[in-house]
C-alpha cells in the first residue's frame, strides 16, 4: 500500500474517515477507539497509529505516553513522513524530552523544509528563549498558503511583541548606565562613547528584528502586533526613552 495515504478501496478507509470526522468534532475518545481498531486489524498501517497518537495527545487530560508509543510506531512504519515526525516531536516534548522533540522537528524539515507545524513548533522554542529573529525567520519559511493559520499568526505576533519589548528594555538599560555615569568620576568623553555604542546596538537589534519578519508583513505593523497590546505600549515608550538616552549621553 501507499505509505503516504489510504485509498478509498482500502478495508480500513471507512473507519479512518469516521475517526477523522470524530476528531473534527473534538470527540477524541470515540475517535481513539476507531483508530485503535485500525491498529489492531491493520498494524502495518501507519495512519492508524498516527490518528491514535493524535487522539491521545488531544484528549483531556493528554495521555502523552500512550501517544508517544503510537507516534513512534507510525514513524517506524513510514520514516519518510514529515507529519509523523512532527507528531513524534510533540509527544516527546509532552513527555519531557524537549531536545529529542526538537530533533524530530528538524528531521521533519529535512523531509519537507517548509512544513508548517515543524517550523512553528521550533519557533515556539526560540521565542521562549528570546531568540526572536530566529523564531520570526522560522515562521517566515512557512508556505504562503498556510501562513495565515491562527497558530502561526499568534506565535508571530508573540515574537513581534517581544521584539518591541526587547527594544524598550535595551534603551532603558542604556539610560540607566548613562545615569550612573553622571554620578561617578569619569572622563568627559565616557558618556558620549557609551551612548554612541548603545545607540548602535539598539539600531542593529531593531534592524535585525525588522528584517527577520516576513516581507509581506513589514509594512503592516498593526497586523504583526495584533492581537496583543503590550508591543504597542513598548513602542510608544521607546521614543521618550530614546530621547532620554540621547540627552544623558550628549547634553547633560
Amino acid at each position: 500500500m501507499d505509505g503516504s495515504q489510504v485509498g478509498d478501496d482500502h478495508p480500513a478507509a471507512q473507519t479512518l474517515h469516521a475517526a477523522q470526522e470524530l476528531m473534527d468534532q473534538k470527540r477524541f475518545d470515540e475517535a481513539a477507539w476507531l483508530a485503535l481498531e485500525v491498529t489492531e486489524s491493520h498494524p502495518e498501517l501507519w495512519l492508524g497509529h498516527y490518528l491514535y497518537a493524535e487522539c491521545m495527545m488531544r484528549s483531556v487530560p493528554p495521555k502523552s505516553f500512550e501517544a508517544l508509543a503510537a507516534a513512534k510506531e507510525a514513524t517506524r512504519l513510514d520514516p519518510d513522513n514529515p507529519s509523523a515526525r512532527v507528531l513524534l516531536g510533540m509527544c516527546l516534548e509532552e513527555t519531557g524530552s524537549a531536545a529529542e522533540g526538537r530533533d524530530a522537528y528538524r528531521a521533519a524539515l529535512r523531509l519537507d523544509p517548509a512544513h508548517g507545524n515543524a517550523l512553528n513548533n521550533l519557533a515556539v522554542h526560540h521565542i521562549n528563549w528570546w531568540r526572536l529573529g530566529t523564531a520570526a525567520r522560522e515562521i517566515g519559511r512557512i508556505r504562503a498558503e498556510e501562513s495565515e493559520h491562527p497558530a502561526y499568526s499568534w506565535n508571530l505576533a508573540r515574537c513581534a511583541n517581544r521584539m518591541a519589548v526587547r527594544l524598550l528594555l535595551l534603551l532603558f538599560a542604556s539610560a540607566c548606565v548613562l545615569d550612573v555615569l553622571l554620578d561617578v568620576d569619569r572622563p568627559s568623553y565616557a558618556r558620549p562613547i557609551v551612548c554612541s555604542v548603545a545607540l548602535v546596538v539598539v539600531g542593529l537589534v531593531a534592524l535585525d528584528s525588522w528584517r527577520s519578519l516576513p516581507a509581506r508583513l513589514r509594512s503592516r505593523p498593526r497586523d504583526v502586533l495584533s492581537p496583543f497590546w503590550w508591543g504597542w505600549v513598548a513602542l510608544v515608550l521607546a521614543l521618550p526613552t530614546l530621547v532620554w538616552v540621547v540627552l544623558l549621553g550628549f547634553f547633560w
Side-chain angles (χ1 to χ4, degrees), residues 168 171 175 233-248:
L168 176 61
L171 286 167
V233 172
L235 289 177
V236 169
L237 293 176
L239 182 57
T241 308
L242 175 62
V243 173
W244 181 25
V245 168
V246 172
L247 290 173
L248 287 169

Side-chain angles (χ1 to χ4, degrees), residues 4 23 92 98 107 111 128-129 176 189 214 218:
S4 62
M23 289 181 66
L92 287 166
L111 296 166
N128 291 339
W129 286 92
C176 290
Y189 55 78
R218 290 175 190 165

Side-chain angles (χ1 to χ4, degrees), residues 139-175:
I139 297 175
R141 289 169 53 194
I142 296 174
R143 294 181 183 89
E145 61 270 21
E146 301 177 28
S147 61
E148 299 302 322
H149 188 286
Y152 308 158
S153 299
W154 179 269
N155 283 318
L156 184 59
R158 285 181 61 215
C159 184
N161 278 267
R162 286 198 177 198
M163 286 175 174
V165 170
R166 180 177 61 183
L167 193 65
L168 176 61
L169 291 175
L170 284 172
L171 286 167
F172 183 76
S174 301

Side-chain angles (χ1 to χ4, degrees), residues 195-206:
C195 184
S196 298
V197 171
L199 292 176
V200 168
V201 170
V202 169
L204 290 174
V205 170

Side-chain angles (χ1 to χ4, degrees), residues 74-157:
T75 304
R76 185 189 69 81
L77 291 168
D78 194 358
D80 294 330
N81 190 301
S83 294
R85 291 193 175 272
V86 169
L87 182 58
L88 175 61
M90 294 170 63
C91 294
L92 287 166
E93 284 196 305
E94 186 69 24
T95 54
S97 301
E100 292 180 49
R102 293 192 295 275
D103 288 341
Y105 301 144
R106 295 185 185 101
L109 291 175
R110 286 193 289 272
L111 296 166
D112 180 2
H115 195 285
N117 283 342
L119 290 166
N120 181 69
N121 292 349
L122 281 175
V124 169
H125 168 72
H126 292 308
I127 291 170
N128 291 339
W129 286 92
W130 287 78
R131 295 194 285 265
L132 304 177
T134 302
R137 282 185 280 269
E138 295 279 25
I139 297 175
R141 289 169 53 194
I142 296 174
R143 294 181 183 89
E145 61 270 21
E146 301 177 28
S147 61
E148 299 302 322
H149 188 286
Y152 308 158
S153 299
W154 179 269
N155 283 318
L156 184 59

